[in-house]
Amino acid sequence: MRKIALILLIASALISCNSDISGSRTIVVSVALDYSAEDGFRQNHALANPPNDQQAFVSQAEVLTEPGMMERYTFLSKDGRRTLNGREERWGKEDVLDAIEGIEAGSDDLVIFFYSGHGEDRTGNLVVSIEDDEFGTISPDELLNALASIGGKKCVFLDSCYSGQYVEEAGMLADGEIFGDDGSLVEDGFLSSLLPALRMTMASGKLGTDDIWVMSAATAGQLSYDSGMDGLPNQDKYGAFSYYLLSALGYDMEENTPCRDQGRGGMTFMGLYHDVKDMMSRSMWKTQTPQITLTPVDLRLF
């Protein structure tokens, strides 16, 4: 996005988190639901691919992390069975939030939250259950407050409809694009990015509040899709956004296996976002436009 280049010119330099990350931990909290065969299940809510998204994301994060330095909390609802780290457990929203708030992370540790599933219309709430209030939904405030309560650097990846709500709730500027009434992308040019870039560069107050970086599959008004249609290998097995996110992380989509093709310390949040954007077809980008929190500080991931 050209806004980043403009910020470079105005602010003179883009500050990066360049501290030595050798020896730091990666803590991954992931949630995926296929909404299959649960009580009160309605067939039109089923999603085939979130479990695949989660499995591939967690396995790819593991190969990018130093051996023995990854901690995981894998919440999965698949075929009517709920598990946590592979063990049968009837988990709900409070269990997810408790897992986040219970993390003891040091300043150099990286905490990643990954979600693949439904997002609620207008609110963007993450739908932990379609109809059971016991499991409920996770709102932007709830998720971001839970992450803000712990240490470390926090990164959020959301493959769900209306997930751009989490970027707005994080207090950052929108991505600078112009969208039509139907939520589709109208313009992604220099002029549309100019004013937001100037505002962000000159703004007072905190940018990058609480060390949380968010990348969403779509804007606050867009849907995300359970698979893309660009004719790429195994694209039907993954969420449309997750497919490109995994590709950008280095996952071998053709072989469906994790792959370590980048050394530790070679991947940043902004770099990952640009790779996702560059890999997506323009037609998909215009209808499902990933959003990110924008700060003058980039985040080193792996």
Side-chain angles (χ1 to χ4, degrees):
M1 187 177 54
R2 294 181 181 178
K3 185 185 341 180
I4 300 302
L6 180 62
I7 293 169
L8 281 169
L9 293 174
I10 297 174
S12 300
L14 180 66
I15 306 169
S16 295
C17 296
N18 289 320
S19 58
D20 182 6
I21 58 174
S22 61
S24 61
R25 294 182 303 150
T26 299
I27 301 108
V28 178
V29 180
S30 63
V31 181
L33 307 99
D34 68 358
Y35 308 94
S36 174
E38 292 192 331
D39 293 340
F41 169 69
R42 296 198 297 266
Q43 184 63 39
N44 63 331
H45 285 126
L47 296 174
N49 292 329
N52 296 335
D53 297 340
Q54 180 188 60
Q55 188 278 329
F57 183 89
V58 173
S59 63
Q60 183 61 22
E62 186 168 29
V63 302
L64 293 174
T65 302
E66 290 183 3
M69 299 302 291
M70 180 166 152
E71 180 181 334
R72 71 179 71 187
Y73 302 86
T74 306
F75 294 90
L76 174 63
S77 178
K78 180 180 180 181
D79 299 330
R81 177 173 174 257
R82 288 182 181 249
T83 58
L84 171 57
N85 292 342
R87 301 185 305 273
E88 194 96 24
E89 182 163 330
R90 196 169 168 77
W91 56 267
K93 65 172 281 186
E94 294 302 331
D95 300 293
V96 175
L97 296 173
D98 286 347
I100 294 172
E101 292 171 348
I103 293 171
E104 296 183 2
S107 59
D108 289 332
D109 290 337
L110 174 65
V111 179
I112 297 176
F113 179 83
F114 175 84
Y115 174 86
S116 182
H118 282 306
E120 203 169 49
D121 191 8
R122 292 182 296 278
T123 66
N125 291 352
L126 308 181
V127 182
V128 177
S129 176
I130 292 291
E131 295 179 341
D132 192 335
D133 290 339
E134 176 188 353
F135 295 149
T137 62
I138 300 174
S139 71
D141 277 346
E142 288 173 320
L143 177 60
L144 296 172
N145 287 339
L147 288 166
S149 72
I150 62 175
K153 299 174 177 66
K154 283 84 70 171
C155 188
V156 177
F157 298 103
L158 302 173
D159 193 348
S160 55
C161 295
Y162 316 111
S163 47
Q165 290 279 0
Y166 288 75
V167 175
E168 294 179 359
E169 291 292 331
M172 299 297 103
L173 294 173
D175 207 20
E177 294 93 353
I178 297 175
F179 297 91
D181 293 338
D182 62 352
S184 63
L185 180 67
V186 175
E187 185 178 349
D188 181 30
F190 176 82
L191 292 178
S192 65
S193 297
L194 178 59
L195 183 57
L198 287 170
R199 287 175 55 199
M200 188 183 79
T201 303
M202 301 175 67
S204 60
K206 292 191 290 184
L207 293 173
T209 302
D210 297 311
D211 292 329
I212 302 174
W213 287 256
V214 181
M215 188 184 304
S216 66
T219 70
Q222 289 177 336
L223 302 175
S224 66
Y225 296 93
D226 197 31
S227 63
M229 295 182 293
D230 293 334
L232 298 173
N234 290 312
Q235 194 172 22
D236 61 323
K237 295 180 173 64
Y238 298 95
F241 168 74
S242 287
Y243 186 91
Y244 292 102
L245 175 64
L246 291 165
S247 297
L249 286 168
Y251 191 83
D252 189 329
M253 307 308 301
E254 191 163 356
E255 297 295 329
N256 276 328
T257 57
C259 180
R260 187 186 179 101
D261 62 355
Q262 287 188 269
R264 178 91 170 149
M267 187 181 299
T268 70
F269 178 80
M270 292 296 186
L272 186 65
Y273 165 73
H274 285 292
D275 286 344
V276 169
K277 180 177 179 179
D278 290 344
M279 289 177 178
M280 292 182 77
S281 67
R282 184 67 177 171
S283 60
M284 181 177 292
W285 176 260
K286 287 174 71 70
T287 56
Q288 183 181 325
T289 313
Q291 302 290 289
I292 56 172
T293 50
L294 285 171
T295 80
V297 181
D298 199 0
L299 171 66
R300 182 175 290 180
L301 294 172
F302 299 105

